[in-house]
Amino acid sequence: MNAETRPLVEAVNLHKHFHGVDVLKGIDMTVAEGEVVCLLGPSGSGKTTFLRCINQLEIFDGGRLYVDGDLLGLRESGGSLHRLSEKHIAQQRRQIGMVFQRFNLFPHKTALDNVIEGPVQVGGVSKKQARIEAGELLERVGLSERADHYPAQLSGGQQQRVAIARALAMKPKLMLFDEPTSALDPELVGEVLAVMRELADDGMTMVVVTHEIAFAREVADRVVFMDGGVVVEEGKPADVIRNPQHERTKTFLSRIIAEQEQHAAAAAELVKPPE
Amino acid sequence: MAEQTVSEKPAATERPGKVEARPVRHPWQWVGVVVIAILAAMMINSFVTNSKWDWHFVWRVMEYRPVLEGLVKGTIICTLGAMVVGIVLGITLAVMRLSTNPVLRGVAFVFTWFFRAVPRYVLLVVLGVGVLYLYPKLDFGLPFTDVHFYTLDVKSVSSGILVGIIGLGLSEAAYMAEIARAGLLSVDTGQHEAASAIGMSRGKAMRRIILPQAMRVIVPPTGNETIAMVKDTSLLSAVPVTTELFFQANAVANSTYLVMPALVAAVIWYLIVCSILMVGQTMLERYFGRGFGGQTGGNKQSWRGRMLSLRAGGGGM
Ligand SMILES: Nc1ncnc2c1ncn2[C@@H]1O[C@H](COP(=O)(O)OP(=O)(O)OP(=O)(O)O)[C@@H](O)[C@H]1O
Ligand SMILES: [Mg+2]
C-alpha cells in the first residue's frame, strides 16, 4: 500500500443501535487519503449516524473504526478493550472537521471569532496568528468582507461557508459534511458547493452526505449508497449513478433525480425574465 | 372606531399615491390623562402643603450617618454578596443538575429542595442563632478522629453581615439554579456538538460557548432576583444585623416619633438603588444579547420590553 492510497478512514463491521433499534448493521468502508466519498441513501438509512460515529458524537456499539490508523474511542491493552477518556476523545476529534446541516455557528461570536475559536482555545495558537489564518480562510470561502458580522447577519449560504472555514481552521486531515446544503434556499446551494469543490480539488479527504446528485457525479471519487444501515452498493460515481446494479439504488436514484429535475425546472421558471 | 378617512379619492386615471389618512382617535385616553394629571397635582399639592410630610426631615434621615451605613453595609453589600454567592452557586448547581453523574444530580436536587422550602426569615434566624449554639467551634482535621490541624472560633468570625450574606446567598442559589438550568437548556444541542467537533472539552464548551448564550436567558430574571434581594435585606434583622437600611430608618422613626418621614426616607433609598440596578440590567442584557437580532436602534424597544416584562414578572416577587 503506497502513501497515495493509505486508508484514512476504515470502518470494520460497524454497528450502532439506539434503544435496541439497529441503525448501523455492519458497515464496512474505507476512505483513502485525498479521496472524496459521497454517501447517498434514503432518509433514515443511517448516513448521519455513520458520520457522527466517525466524529464520536455517537459511540458505536460494535465493530471497529479507525481514523489515520488510530482506533476511535477505544484502547486495546492486555487483550481487553478500554474506553478512552473524554480528553483523549477530544484529541482524536481535532484531526476531523465537521460541517453540519444546520451550520451550528456560535451565534454570540462574529464570523472571524467563530473561526479562531478552535485554534486559540484548543490548538494553542496565538490570537494574532489565528486571526491571520482565519482571515485567509474567510477569503478562501469568499467572505473577507463579512469577518465582523454575527451569524444572524449572514445568509444561510454565508453561514455555511463560515462553518466550513471554522472546521478548516483546525487543519483537519478529514472533513465530514452532513447534508451541508439541505437547509439552504436553492439559490444559495451553489456557493457552498463551489467552496466544497475547491476543497476537493486541493486534495482534502472528504466524506459528504448529500442529495445533490450533480455534485456527487462531478466531484466524488467514489459514491457509496446506503440503505437500512448497510452499504448496498459503491463504486465510481458514473457507474453507480448512471448504471445502478441494485433495485433499491435504482428506485432511490430515479426518485431523487426526478425531484431535482423538477426543482431545476421550477428554479428556471423563477429566474425567467418577464415578457 | 372606524374614523379612518382617506383624504382624497384619486382620479380614475391616476394611480393611488401616498396614504394621507388620519390616525384612529382615542378620546378616552385623553380623559384618562386629564384624570391622572388632576390626581397627580392633588398629590404634589398635599406633599407640599401638608407639613406632616416634613421633607426637610426626610432629607436629614436620608443622610443620617447610621442610615447611610445601614444602606451601604446592610443593603448594598449584602445584596451584592448574596447575589454573587447565589449566582455562582446557582450556576454550579444547574450544571450539576444537567450532568450525567447521578451523585452530582442528587446533591444538586436535595440542595434546591431544601433551600426552596425554608423561608428566608426562618433561615436567617436559624443561621444567626442556631449555628453559633450548635457549633461554637469548627475543627479542621481528619473526620471521626481527634486529629485537628486547625480550630476556628466561630464566635470570633461570625459577624452578622457574613451570616446574612451566606444565608441569603444559599437561599438565592436554589432559585438561581432553576433560572440557570432553564438558560442552559435553552441553548441548542447543535452548539454542544459544534464545540465538540472543534475539539473542545465539555468544561470549556460550557464556559465559552454554552454559558454565554444561556446568559441571554439568565440575565433578565436574575435582574428581578437582584431587585427582590435588595428588598429581602430588610429581613436581616432576623440574624440579627442592625446596620441595615430599614432597621435604622425604623429606629429613627421610633425614637423621634416622626414615623412617616423616616420610613419615606427608606423608601426613597430603595427606589434609588433599584433604579440604578435596572440601568445595570439593561446594559448587561445588551451585552449578552449581541449577535441575537439586529443591533441597530434596539435601545428604545428593549427599554420598553424590559418595563413590560418587569410589570408582568414583578407580581411574583
Ligand atoms: N439519537 C437518536 N435516538 C434514537 N434514534 C435515532 C437517533 N439518531 C438517529 N436515530 C434513528 O436512526 C435512524 C437513522 O438515522 P440517521 O439520522 O442516521 O439517518 P439519515 O440517513 O441521516 O437520514 P436523513 O437523510 O433523514 O438525514 C433513524 O431511524 C433515526 O430515527
Ligand atoms: Mg441525516
Side-chain angles (χ1 to χ4, degrees), chain B residues 1-7 20-28:
Chain B
M1 274 188 276
E3 286 186 42
Q4 261 163 316
T5 52
V6 176
S7 58
E20 284 171 16
R22 301 207 186 101
V24 178
R25 290 186 195 291
H26 300 284
W28 287 107

Side-chain angles (χ1 to χ4, degrees), chain A residues 44 47-49 101 178-179 209:
Chain A
K47 308 177 299 287
T48 296
T49 307
Q101 184 173 357
D178 187 12
E179 300 196 37
V209 175

Side-chain angles (χ1 to χ4, degrees), chain A residues 16-19 21-24 40-52 58 101 178-179 182 209 211 226 229:
Chain A
K16 171 73 191 170
H17 62 78
F18 289 111
H19 319 294
V21 179
D22 287 329
V23 173
L24 299 183
L40 306 178
S43 185
S45 56
K47 308 177 299 287
T48 296
T49 307
F50 179 62
L51 276 199
R52 289 166 61 87
E58 304 290 355
Q101 184 173 357
D178 187 12
E179 300 196 37
S182 2
V209 175
H211 292 307
M226 278 176 69

Side-chain angles (χ1 to χ4, degrees), chain A residues 52 86 105-106 117 121, chain B residues 191 193 202 204 208:
Chain A
R52 289 166 61 87
E86 201 213 322
L105 288 180
F106 306 133
E117 185 69 12
Q121 294 300 325
Chain B
Q191 294 290 311
E193 295 180 350
R202 245 189 285 168
K204 195 161 238 178
R208 303 238 359 134

Side-chain angles (χ1 to χ4, degrees), chain A residues 52 55 86 90 93-94 96 100 104-109 117-118 121-122 150 152-153 166 170, chain B residues 188 190-191 193-202 204 208-209 212-213 290-293 295:
Chain A
R52 289 166 61 87
N55 212 10
E86 201 213 322
R93 274 191 188 123
R94 276 174 217 173
I96 303 168
F100 300 88
N104 294 349
L105 288 180
F106 306 133
H108 59 306
K109 293 182 179 293
E117 185 69 12
Q121 294 300 325
V122 180
Y150 285 98
Q153 301 168 316
R166 176 177 71 179
M170 293 302 289
Chain B
D188 186 48
Q191 294 290 311
E193 295 180 350
S196 299
I198 58 173
M200 275 195 179
S201 67
R202 245 189 285 168
K204 195 161 238 178
R208 303 238 359 134
I209 307 299
Q213 292 179 58
R290 71 198 189 286
F292 292 87
Q295 23 228 82

Side-chain angles (χ1 to χ4, degrees), chain B residues 59-114:
Chain B
W59 175 245
R60 274 185 50 205
V61 174
M62 277 180 73
E63 57 170 13
Y64 180 48
R65 217 189 139 73
V67 169
L68 276 182
E69 210 174 308
L71 170 73
V72 172
K73 281 195 192 154
T75 306
I76 296 178
I77 291 183
C78 271
T79 299
L80 294 181
M83 285 313 291
V84 168
V85 172
I87 291 170
V88 171
L89 195 56
I91 289 179
T92 312
L93 285 167
V95 173
M96 283 164 70
R97 276 294 285 276
L98 297 174
S99 123
T100 47
N101 181 334
V103 179
L104 292 181
R105 275 204 313 261
V107 169
F109 176 79
V110 170
F111 182 99
T112 313
W113 165 77
F114 181 82

